[in-house]
């Protein structure tokens, strides 16, 4: 069965790149640009993985990860945080919120796909 991945990214170019790479690797992709629609979309589609930008307008990706972890319908879904936040302590803070994986931008395709595949359930 095809794995479903939700891509939460407000930057149009990054969102398109992530979606194109994932589709080329055989995944079903649901792009989300609006942080306010993340939890609702995740509940509706039950993705196998959520790729989460941390810097979103109006809401932090960290807040969304924490909210997903509190939601019984979403808490088991792994989250790969992809962010320009790469200062000392940022990865620990993001992982403490509940992220299963962390990648700093700019992201190269090979490490991105390795991180995605490592977090997908078999």
């Amino acid at each position: 069965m095809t794995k479903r991945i939700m891509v939460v990214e407000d930057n149009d170019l990054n969102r398109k790149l992530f979606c194109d790479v994932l589709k080329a690797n055989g995944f079903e992709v649901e792009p989300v640009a609006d942080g306010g629609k993340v939890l609702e979309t995740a509940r509706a589609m039950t993705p196998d993985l959520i790729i989460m930008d941390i810097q979103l307008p109006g809401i932090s990706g960290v807040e969304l990860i924490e909210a997903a972890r509190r939601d019984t319908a979403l808490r088991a879904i792994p989250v790969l945080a992809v962010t320009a936040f790469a200062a000392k302590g940022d990865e620990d803070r993001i992982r403490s919120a509940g992220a299963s994986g962390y990648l700093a931008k700019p992201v190269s395709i090979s490490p991105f796909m390795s991180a995605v595949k490592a977090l997908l359930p078999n």
Side-chain angles (χ1 to χ4, degrees):
M1 191 164 113
T2 303
K3 300 286 186 187
R4 292 180 313 274
I5 300 177
M6 189 168 89
V7 176
V8 181
E9 171 63 68
D10 63 308
N11 179 287
D12 293 339
L13 291 175
N14 287 343
R15 189 175 58 253
K16 181 174 179 1
L17 173 66
F18 294 157
C19 290
D20 288 351
V21 167
L22 292 165
K23 286 176 190 171
N25 279 273
F27 297 105
E28 182 183 320
V29 180
E30 180 68 31
V32 179
D34 181 351
K37 295 184 177 172
V38 168
L39 300 175
E40 173 188 334
T41 303
R43 283 187 210 103
M45 75 168 287
T46 57
D48 296 292
L49 174 67
I50 299 171
I51 296 172
M52 178 76 70
D53 183 20
I54 297 302
Q55 292 176 283
L56 297 166
I59 189 164
S60 151
V62 171
E63 292 175 63
L64 290 169
I65 294 168
E66 290 170 339
R69 292 296 167 249
R70 290 189 302 268
D71 188 311
T72 55
L74 305 177
R75 72 171 45 128
I77 301 169
V79 176
L80 173 59
V82 181
T83 181
F85 279 129
K88 186 172 176 61
D90 284 334
E91 181 174 359
D92 290 339
R93 181 176 60 85
I94 291 166
R95 285 185 180 273
S96 293
S100 311
Y102 172 93
L103 283 175
K105 290 178 183 173
V107 176
S108 297
I109 306 273
S110 182
F112 174 75
M113 284 312 303
S114 293
V116 165
K117 290 175 182 172
L119 293 175
L120 283 169
N122 292 330

